[in-house]
């Protein structure tokens, strides 16, 4: 039996409704609450000023999410910024994030930040290891510490 996306959403809504219906007497309020929780998440996008990050942010905004973008602008561009009230851009290195004092609580992290291109990595291996390996490791530690789902693009 093939389950369509809309059927799956209905099943998810029904499951959530069953779980929290005790908290709400009115079914319509419960469904509105569920949709709001599922559709209005704060999402962290690393590398959000790059080509892929910018396009991802556009798609997430259409779905009604709030976005926190972190980029060091080594390859990303400020011209790629999307002027929208639900997008916040932070200019920082991923290794500068203090995971113990990170004030944001995103529901999800899309980790897209990385130094790309093979040839320059032979000339600057330490920098590529620092950014790609240690930066990714810092995002993994943040996700574990704050119990956040992480989607990693290599």
């Amino acid at each position: 039996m093939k389950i369509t996306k809309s059927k799956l959403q209905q099943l998810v809504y029904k499951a959530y409704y069953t779980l929290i219906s005790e908290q709400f007497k009115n079914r319509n309020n419960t469904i509105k609450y569920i949709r709001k929780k599922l559709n209005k998440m704060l999402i962290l996008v690393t590398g959000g000023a790059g080509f892929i990050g910018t396009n991802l942010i556009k798609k997430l905004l259409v779905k009604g999410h709030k976005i926190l973008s972190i980029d060091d602008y080594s390859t990303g561009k400020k011209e790629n910024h999307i002027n929208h009230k639900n997008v916040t851009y932070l200019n920082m290195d991923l290794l500068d994030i203090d995971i113990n004092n990170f004030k944001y609580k995103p529901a999800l992290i899309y980790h897209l930040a990385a130094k790309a291109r093979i040839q320059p990595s032979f000339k600057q291996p330490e920098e590529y290891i620092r950014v790609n390996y240690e930066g990714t490791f810092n995002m993994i530690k943040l996700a574990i510490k704050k119990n956040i789902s992480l989607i990693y693009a290599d």
Side-chain angles (χ1 to χ4, degrees), residues 87-141:
V87 182
T88 302
Y89 289 93
L90 300 179
N91 182 353
M92 66 187 312
D93 190 305
L94 295 180
L95 291 172
D96 293 337
I97 296 172
D98 180 359
I99 63 171
N100 293 316
N101 296 312
F102 193 66
K103 67 180 182 178
Y104 302 96
K105 179 62 171 101
L108 179 63
I109 300 171
Y110 280 98
H111 178 49
L112 307 175
K115 283 202 165 282
R117 299 182 178 78
I118 299 296
Q119 291 304 326
S121 73
F122 295 126
K123 294 177 183 173
Q124 301 174 308
E126 295 88 3
E127 179 65 7
Y128 275 71
I129 289 169
R130 187 187 75 74
V131 172
N132 293 354
Y133 174 77
E134 294 174 15
T136 297
F137 188 59
N138 206 37
M139 288 296 93
I140 292 168
K141 290 190 298 187

Side-chain angles (χ1 to χ4, degrees), residues 2 8-9 11 20 23 54 66 68 76 82 95 98 107 110 120 131 146 150:
K2 184 177 180 183
L8 182 61
Q9 285 176 335
L11 292 171
I20 65 171
Q23 297 175 9
T54 300
K66 292 184 178 181
L68 174 64
I82 298 162
L95 291 172
D98 180 359
Y110 280 98
V131 172
K146 302 288 186 178
L150 173 75

Side-chain angles (χ1 to χ4, degrees), residues 23-78:
Q23 297 175 9
F24 297 95
K25 300 298 180 197
N26 184 327
R27 181 181 182 276
N28 289 333
N29 286 341
T30 303
I31 291 172
K32 286 178 188 175
Y33 172 81
I34 292 166
R35 286 187 177 144
K36 182 178 179 184
K37 283 295 184 189
L38 290 175
N39 292 326
K40 305 291 182 185
M41 296 188 296
L42 173 63
I43 298 175
L44 170 59
V45 178
T46 66
F51 176 77
I52 296 170
T54 300
N55 285 289
L56 174 62
I57 289 171
K58 288 176 186 176
K59 294 288 185 188
L60 294 172
L61 284 172
V62 168
K63 300 225 179 245
H65 299 295
K66 292 184 178 181
I67 311 300
L68 174 64
S69 169
I70 297 177
D71 204 301
D72 69 358
Y73 297 93
S74 58
T75 57
K77 300 176 184 164
K78 290 190 178 183

